[in-house]
Amino acid sequence: MKNNRGFYQLLRLTIVLLLWIGGSLQAYAHEGEHDGSSETGKLPKLAKCRIVTADRLFDGFELHEGWGVLLKKEKVAQIGPMVELKRRCARKDLLGEATILPGFIESHAHITFQNVPKITVLRNGITTVQDTGGPLLPPSGGEGQLRLLSAGPILQAPGGYPLNVFGGEGGLDKIGYPVASAAEAENAVQQLSDGGAAAIKIALEPGGEPGAPWMMPHGENPVPAAPWAMLSQDIVNAIVVKAHALNKRVIVHAGEDTGFERALNAGIDEFAHMPCAAIRPELLQQAANTPGLIFVTTIDTLSSCVKDGMGVHSNTAQLAAKIAECETATPGQCAGLLYGSEIGHDNVPWGINGEEMHLMLHLTGGQSIDFADVLNVFKAVTSKAGEHLGDPLLGTLLPNAPADLIAVKGNPFERFKLLENPDLVISGGRVIVNHFEE
Ligand SMILES: [Zn+2]
């Protein structure tokens, strides 16, 4: 009897404890639902419609005063002056002295390879990333989670970068994928494409640039002596032809003249960085005059790439000046710049990087910086980036665009830094952050 009573008491205690744990878990799950803080939990609710208005609205192209946006489920339905929108939906967020912008696009990240929490990136204003180098994943996200477009592993020469620095084996789920011939390279491009790669990335990196992040030790591995093995011109040409036949862009990591020239000769589509070492002016000229060629900036993370006052900053300034000249002579037939900060590196924020925008503005704005230069920086991280990724609505608030938007208190066109801690983040119509309700 005595033992039995003890048993029932223990049972009762256990049940109470289990109920309490269950309740706490539920409360925790509910919290995750409300503020989007759970990485794998249920997504925040999707409202049928929602109007968000503020003193300023940037639609990806222009800045409007006193405009708002009408969201219907996971899409943008309409933007315009508040009076035109106000009767279209009962649910209204009137933000007042604040600025609404499209969700930002990070064109150079290593989310998967560096295990960056996607929710951290999303909460800090980036709603889409191009994951350039790391395990291959099919496209995902956009419905309350970070939209991730993967390039998968970097095609590289056997023994070359990046595996020589990061160590380990190569493969589809690794940082590098070595190819020894044009046939092997074409086969790799096919596998990447079949696995859902948004673009194909290659490395043309012989090493040796002073101050480059890849010249610093990663973990246990000492940095191997330069020069490092590089893909030959024939192999790079074969990669570009194959990738273009499969409708994939080719992104290149190049840090100096040899790789830069090889990439240009092959007709690649995108430089993943401003090169680290000083590039010969005639090569920068050739690049500036290549229609549609894109340079992703990543200036902030490469700020140690300067030798005798030359390097990433001077490359950026010279290239921007040559692009401006080209645009004057032959509009629309020139290279362009996109924002990229290299999320995953430990010297940049894992969200919007105000310093990257600041460097872009001051290095590309020329002698007299005006509001058009500021707008260009904002376009490079929104509408221009979306168009380059193949979705002209991404990074905009045009009708039918995904309902990805952010808002900040104040005016980020005067203070980029405000963007690093957005007060409202909506991904695919779902509220991830809302400091306006606090
Ligand atoms: Zn990178």
Side-chain angles (χ1 to χ4, degrees), residues 201-218:
K201 186 170 177 186
I202 66 172
L204 293 174
E205 179 53 72
E209 305 94 321
W214 48 90
M215 294 309 296
M216 306 179 189
H218 286 70

Side-chain angles (χ1 to χ4, degrees), residues 218-237:
H218 286 70
E220 306 284 288
N221 315 305
V223 178
W228 304 337
M230 272 212 297
L231 296 171
S232 69
Q233 185 73 61
D234 286 348
I235 294 179
V236 181
N237 293 349

Side-chain angles (χ1 to χ4, degrees), residues 122-176:
L122 188 57
R123 291 180 68 87
N124 291 292
I126 301 284
T127 50
T128 299
V129 300
Q130 177 168 253
D131 210 22
T132 59
L136 177 64
L137 293 172
S140 66
E143 60 330 303
Q145 298 198 49
L146 180 68
R147 183 182 290 100
L148 190 133
L149 305 168
S150 169
I154 302 169
L155 301 183
Q156 62 161 91
Y161 180 79
L163 286 171
N164 64 341
V165 168
F166 289 96
E169 297 288 300
L172 282 178
D173 58 345
K174 300 293 190 304
I175 182 73

Side-chain angles (χ1 to χ4, degrees), residues 89-260:
C89 179
R91 165 90 224 210
K92 291 183 183 70
D93 299 273
L94 310 173
L95 308 183
E97 170 43 22
T99 308
I100 301 167
L101 309 102
F104 276 25
I105 299 172
E106 161 66 283
S107 291
H108 187 147
H110 297 281
I111 304 289
T112 314
F113 180 61
Q114 300 289 5
N115 292 312
V116 175
K118 289 183 198 166
I119 191 69
T120 304
V121 178
L122 188 57
R123 291 180 68 87
N124 291 292
I126 301 284
T127 50
T128 299
V129 300
Q130 177 168 253
D131 210 22
T132 59
L136 177 64
L137 293 172
S140 66
E143 60 330 303
Q145 298 198 49
L146 180 68
R147 183 182 290 100
L148 190 133
L149 305 168
S150 169
I154 302 169
L155 301 183
Q156 62 161 91
Y161 180 79
L163 286 171
N164 64 341
V165 168
F166 289 96
E169 297 288 300
L172 282 178
D173 58 345
K174 300 293 190 304
I175 182 73
Y177 187 144
V179 291
S181 66
E184 271 185 47
E186 285 161 356
N187 179 45
V189 172
Q190 185 70 55
Q191 284 180 55
L192 288 163
S193 175
D194 292 347
I200 305 297
K201 186 170 177 186
I202 66 172
L204 293 174
E205 179 53 72
E209 305 94 321
W214 48 90
M215 294 309 296
M216 306 179 189
H218 286 70
E220 306 284 288
N221 315 305
V223 178
W228 304 337
M230 272 212 297
L231 296 171
S232 69
Q233 185 73 61
D234 286 348
I235 294 179
V236 181
N237 293 349
I239 290 170
V240 172
V241 169
K242 179 73 177 178
H244 287 176
L246 295 168
N247 209 14
K248 303 288 177 193
R249 286 172 291 126
V250 178
I251 306 171
V252 64
H253 164 110
E256 48 66 73
D257 276 349
T258 334
F260 192 88

Side-chain angles (χ1 to χ4, degrees), residues 278-410:
I279 297 295
R280 291 204 310 273
E282 61 271 28
L283 289 178
L284 289 176
Q285 188 69 59
Q286 189 188 336
N289 292 339
T290 304
L293 176 63
I294 284 293
F295 283 83
V296 179
T297 52
T298 75
I299 304 163
D300 185 19
T301 195
L302 297 182
S303 54
S304 53
C305 279
V306 176
K307 196 191 173 200
D308 307 327
M310 301 293 279
V312 65
H313 289 189
S314 60
N315 286 336
T316 310
Q318 286 181 58
L319 187 70
K322 290 180 194 309
I323 291 174
E325 274 171 35
C326 173
E327 282 293 345
T328 307
T330 51
Q333 299 298 307
C334 313
L337 301 170
L338 286 184
Y339 164 100
S341 165
E342 190 129 27
I343 291 176
H345 276 196
D346 57 10
N347 62 353
V348 293
W350 288 2
I352 297 173
N353 182 353
E355 180 64 11
E356 185 69 36
M357 296 174 73
H358 177 85
L359 286 163
M360 276 181 89
L361 177 65
H362 287 274
L363 291 168
T364 65
Q367 294 300 318
S368 53
I369 289 166
D370 57 22
F371 189 68
D373 298 314
V374 179
L375 267 187
N376 278 337
V377 173
F378 279 79
K379 289 180 203 166
V381 66
T382 56
S383 59
K384 245 176 100 178
E387 191 183 6
H388 184 64
L389 288 173
D391 183 350
L393 290 175
L394 200 61
T396 80
L397 295 178
L398 299 181
N400 274 323
D404 294 352
L405 66 87
I406 62 173
V408 294
K409 294 170 185 169

